[in-house]
Amino acid sequence: MKSTGPTTGLRFLVLGSAAGGGLPQWNCNCSNCAAARDPSSGLQPQTQSSLAVSIDGETWAIFNASPDIRQQIQQTPHLHPKALRHSPIQSVVITNADVDHIGGLLTIREKQAFSLFSTAAIGSVLDASPVFRVLDPDFVARKTIRLDEDFSPLDGLEARIFAVPGKVALFLEDGEPELGLEGEQTIGVEFVANGKRAYYIPGCATLPDWLCERISGADLVFFDGTVFTDDEMIRVGTGIKTGQRMGHMPITGDDAGGGGSLEALSKLGIGRMVYVHINNTNPIWRQGPERDAVTEAGFEVGHDGMEIELA
Ligand code: MLT
Ligand code: MN
Ligand code: ZN
């Protein structure tokens, strides 16, 4: 990891680039997962979905508390304690209530002060599970954030959340969930600092015109790269669900099926586009025509430890 000095720009660190389950997933032996277990393959294992953001390089806000957060902190010197009991992590912000984004809250329970930001809807999911009471309210300040209102997860960092098309968390599904729901269940985050604008959207079911307009011309967008094709899990034989059914728009797709994020995003004049929340079945993990298609269109494939600074 490169050394860091004080800065006033936006600094992003991908703590986990994989979707729920990670790469490899514990019970999967698809070709990607098998390769990620084989040190000679060149495919590094990747942890579950999380992004760290800082302005000064000293204090950090974590977007999504993945079940791998202990390992992510361990492999990120920026996030190590600097005193007997201390953490550079000042806040945690949750973008939806799926296990890959809240499971890590149970790991950071050791009476360390931080702020936990969520929408009222996501907060009520945490409130409904008594296990999250392990986060002692004397230390963890729960803060409710509203759609389209400014909040400050770190001193000097201006952020705003907004609804993106999604669905309720997997474990809250009761029959067929409403897909493409726009509410407090699934949010994107907008960051502004030093005249730069960036977005973190790890889960998104479609890219309607209003959302394209919102992120158009941004300096940086981290976007949902769960599946390359909608039927990928079915074709690989690992599952029966499409990306759409999971609340994730595919990277590529035909217009009849709603199109893909690659075509939609690449028209928007965005400075850097990075796929994150990538499922273990996704062929872009490895060299090949799918990864070439993504990189030729100007996208980057996120990976654990990836650092981006917008100075
Ligand atoms: C998803 O993004 O679809 C979820 O992480 C699913 C899950 O909870 O495994
Ligand atoms: Mn997920
Ligand atoms: Zn797999």
Side-chain angles (χ1 to χ4, degrees):
M1 179 126 340
K2 72 178 188 207
S3 68
T4 57
T7 172
T8 53
L10 277 165
R11 182 181 297 204
F12 298 90
L13 227 163
V14 176
L15 298 180
S17 60
L23 175 75
Q25 179 173 307
W26 72 286
N27 63 341
C28 190
N29 205 20
C30 74
S31 53
N32 284 342
C33 288
R37 287 189 190 96
D38 172 5
S40 71
S41 74
L43 180 59
Q44 297 292 321
Q46 304 289 320
T47 63
Q48 296 170 81
S49 182
S50 181
L51 180 74
V53 183
S54 183
I55 293 287
D56 61 5
E58 310 260 316
T59 56
W60 294 80
I62 305 289
F63 289 79
N64 293 320
S66 113
D68 299 320
I69 195 168
R70 181 179 173 280
Q71 177 188 344
Q72 291 167 341
I73 292 170
Q74 172 61 16
Q75 63 198 24
T76 310
H78 293 303
L79 301 182
H80 293 176
K82 306 291 185 285
L84 180 61
R85 282 292 167 99
H86 167 262
S87 173
I89 298 170
Q90 287 207 342
S91 60
V92 176
V93 184
I94 307 294
T95 68
N96 78 351
D98 269 320
V99 172
D100 55 345
H101 289 165
I102 66 171
L105 291 173
L106 302 179
T107 296
I108 49 174
R109 65 187 178 279
E110 283 91 2
K111 301 205 185 300
Q112 179 65 42
F114 65 90
S115 298
L116 174 55
F117 292 91
S118 71
T119 62
I122 294 173
S124 69
V125 176
L126 302 179
D127 292 337
S129 300
V131 69
F132 290 106
R133 288 186 207 149
V134 76
L135 294 172
D136 185 340
D138 286 345
F139 293 85
V140 178
R142 294 277 299 273
K143 298 191 175 165
T144 300
I145 38 177
R146 290 190 182 79
L147 299 174
D148 299 302
E149 276 185 18
D150 289 355
F151 74 108
S152 187
L154 285 176
D155 292 344
L157 174 59
E158 198 186 306
R160 201 169 294 123
I161 57 163
F162 52 97
V164 298
K167 64 165 185 63
V168 295
L170 175 60
F171 62 88
L172 292 175
E173 288 184 13
D174 183 13
E176 283 303 307
E178 186 184 341
L179 301 173
L181 190 67
E182 284 178 25
E184 288 195 342
Q185 293 75 17
T186 311
I187 59 169
V189 190
E190 179 175 82
F191 304 94
V192 181
N194 232 18
K196 304 283 184 186
R197 186 162 54 97
Y199 294 87
Y200 176 53
I201 309 174
C204 192
T206 57
L207 268 167
D209 289 345
W210 69 262
L211 180 51
C212 290
E213 280 159 30
R214 180 161 197 153
I215 64 179
S216 178
D219 297 286
L220 169 65
V221 175
F222 293 97
F223 197 80
D224 183 343
T226 307
V227 288
F228 188 77
T229 45
D230 197 39
D231 63 352
E232 175 180 302
M233 288 188 34
I234 299 165
R235 283 199 286 134
V236 174
T238 59
I240 55 166
K241 283 187 192 166
T242 61
Q244 288 293 342
R245 174 60 185 79
M246 297 189 295
H248 299 291
M249 75 183 294
I251 292 175
T252 55
D254 51 48
D255 285 329
S261 60
L262 181 131
E263 198 184 331
L265 294 175
S266 53
K267 294 178 192 152
L268 302 180
I270 296 165
R272 283 181 80 167
M273 301 176 287
V274 182
Y275 279 123
V276 291
H277 193 280
I278 305 165
N279 197 50
N280 57 76
T281 50
N282 194 322
I284 66 171
W285 284 125
R286 297 201 277 173
Q287 299 305 329
E290 296 88 356
R291 191 179 177 106
D292 290 347
V294 162
T295 53
E296 278 161 21
F299 289 76
E300 296 167 78
V301 177
H303 60 86
D304 290 16
M306 180 182 211
E307 268 191 78
I308 297 181
E309 208 172 318
L310 297 178

